[in-house]
């Protein structure tokens, strides 16, 4: 049984429709289904440390999970990556107070299977490293600085925390990330719309962009990038599960 941990529903949309597991509406959504001969679970945790840790602990406590995969969108922190490109991480570091600290290694056999699945699907992918931050990294300068300091290719807000819980429970871990915004691009600062529990302030974000229409043009490219990234993640996750 593989457990995929995503922050937002869009990150698992390409995997197809899975049945909801009742009783998890208090803090996060949980779905399950069958891909090939493999049973999969998808936990939609919300964004950030608190949400990722809480959901991962609960799933790994209540279900016999053979592999834990942090799956989702990311910001590129090295040059050359394009929206939808997949990065399969060997290590994930944590970014704190302007420098990388901590390190979670991804399981070697899972990484090998992940690379095989990406290649079989003809995806644009590369091996690399990830870094987990406490906030969305939005400026090209911050992404470039972080990439150099952490020797990282992509940044997200959850992978390190999923990996740390999995390591504590003795569950093999993998991080697979699709690029949403390349390193060379600055995106709108959306941090103000993330609640402390990792959920999204949809009403506040809608009202903001309605009152700041000059910023809306920057959301259209992000929507297209989100679709590409979701398709890459879905194709890869299905192929990865089918190999188990």
């Amino acid at each position: 049984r593989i457990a995929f941990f995503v922050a937002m529903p869009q990150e698992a949309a390409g995997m197809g429709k899975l049945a909801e597991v009742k009783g998890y509406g208090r803090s996060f959504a949980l779905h399950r289904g069958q891909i090939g001969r493999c049973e999969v679970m998808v936990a939609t945790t919300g964004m950030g440390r608190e949400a990722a840790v809480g959901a991962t602990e609960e799933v790994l406590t209540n279900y016999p999970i053979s592999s834990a995969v942090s799956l989702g969108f990311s910001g590129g922190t090295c040059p050359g990556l394009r929206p939808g490109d997949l990065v399969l991480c060997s290590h994930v570091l944590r970014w704190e107070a302007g420098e990388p600290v901590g390190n979670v290694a991804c399981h070697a056999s899972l990484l090998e299977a992940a690379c095989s699945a990406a290649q079989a699907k003809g995806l644009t992918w590369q091996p690399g490293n990830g870094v987990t931050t406490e906030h969305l990294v939005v400026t090209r300068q911050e992404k470039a600085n972080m990439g150099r300091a952490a020797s990282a290719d992509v940044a997200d807000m959850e992978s390190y925390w999923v990996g740390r819980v999995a390591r504590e429970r003795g569950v093999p871990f993998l991080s697979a990330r699709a690029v949403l915004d390349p390193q060379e691009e600055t995106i709108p600062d959306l941090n103000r719309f993330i609640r402390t529990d990792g959920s999204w302030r949809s009403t506040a974000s809608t009202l903001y962009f309605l009152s700041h229409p000059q910023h809306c043009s920057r959301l259209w490219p992000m929507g297209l990038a989100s679709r590409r990234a979701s398709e890459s993640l879905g194709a890869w996750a299905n192929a990865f599960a089918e190999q188990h």
Side-chain angles (χ1 to χ4, degrees):
R1 180 184 284 152
I2 302 175
F4 294 95
F5 295 91
V6 301
M8 301 177 293
Q10 302 94 310
E11 294 169 315
M15 294 181 64
K17 188 173 179 59
L18 303 174
E20 183 176 0
V21 178
K22 300 299 183 182
Y24 284 86
R26 302 182 307 277
S27 56
F28 65 96
L30 186 65
H31 292 77
R32 70 194 303 175
Q34 197 82 14
I35 298 177
R37 293 178 296 174
C38 181
E39 183 179 352
V40 301
M41 307 194 81
V42 177
T44 305
T45 66
M47 301 172 70
R49 173 180 180 173
E50 180 181 348
V53 169
T56 307
E57 287 181 341
E58 188 165 345
V59 171
L60 298 189
T61 296
N62 289 289
Y63 294 93
I65 300 299
S66 60
S67 305
V69 180
S70 181
L71 186 77
F73 301 154
S74 63
T77 55
C78 72
L81 290 169
R82 306 260 50 91
D85 288 356
L86 193 68
V87 176
L88 304 173
C89 297
S90 299
H91 294 82
V92 181
L93 298 94
R94 175 166 60 96
W95 187 262
E96 183 178 288
E99 62 181 74
V101 295
N103 179 24
V104 175
C106 294
H107 195 273
S109 64
L110 291 185
L111 183 58
E112 183 179 356
C115 295
S116 177
Q119 189 168 352
K121 283 294 183 180
L123 299 172
T124 302
W125 68 280
Q126 67 180 52
N129 294 316
V131 59
T132 294
T133 70
E134 296 181 350
H135 62 280
L136 290 175
V137 184
V138 298
T139 69
R140 59 185 301 177
Q141 189 61 53
E142 185 179 13
K143 286 187 279 188
N145 291 343
M146 187 175 292
R148 285 192 295 268
S151 297
D153 303 272
V154 287
D156 67 72
M157 295 176 61
E158 298 81 31
S159 287
Y160 174 85
W161 303 113
V162 174
R164 197 174 79 167
V165 174
R167 182 177 63 188
E168 291 168 354
R169 303 300 179 93
V171 177
F173 164 72
L174 178 70
S175 176
R177 291 282 157 176
V179 173
L180 181 64
D181 51 298
Q183 181 261 309
E184 297 86 352
E185 294 182 8
T186 293
I187 63 172
D189 187 355
L190 304 177
N191 286 290
R192 72 188 77 185
F193 305 124
I194 303 172
R195 296 187 179 92
T196 55
D197 64 358
S199 60
W200 184 255
R201 300 179 185 272
S202 56
T203 300
S205 62
T206 300
L207 291 174
Y208 174 82
F209 284 106
L210 285 175
S211 61
H212 297 77
Q214 69 274 21
H215 295 165
C216 290
S217 61
R218 302 174 69 187
L219 295 179
W220 175 250
M222 289 189 67
L224 294 176
S226 174
R227 181 174 178 178
R228 290 176 192 156
S230 180
E231 290 173 349
S232 294
L233 291 172
W236 174 83
N238 287 332
F240 179 74
E242 286 170 357
Q243 291 187 0
H244 279 63

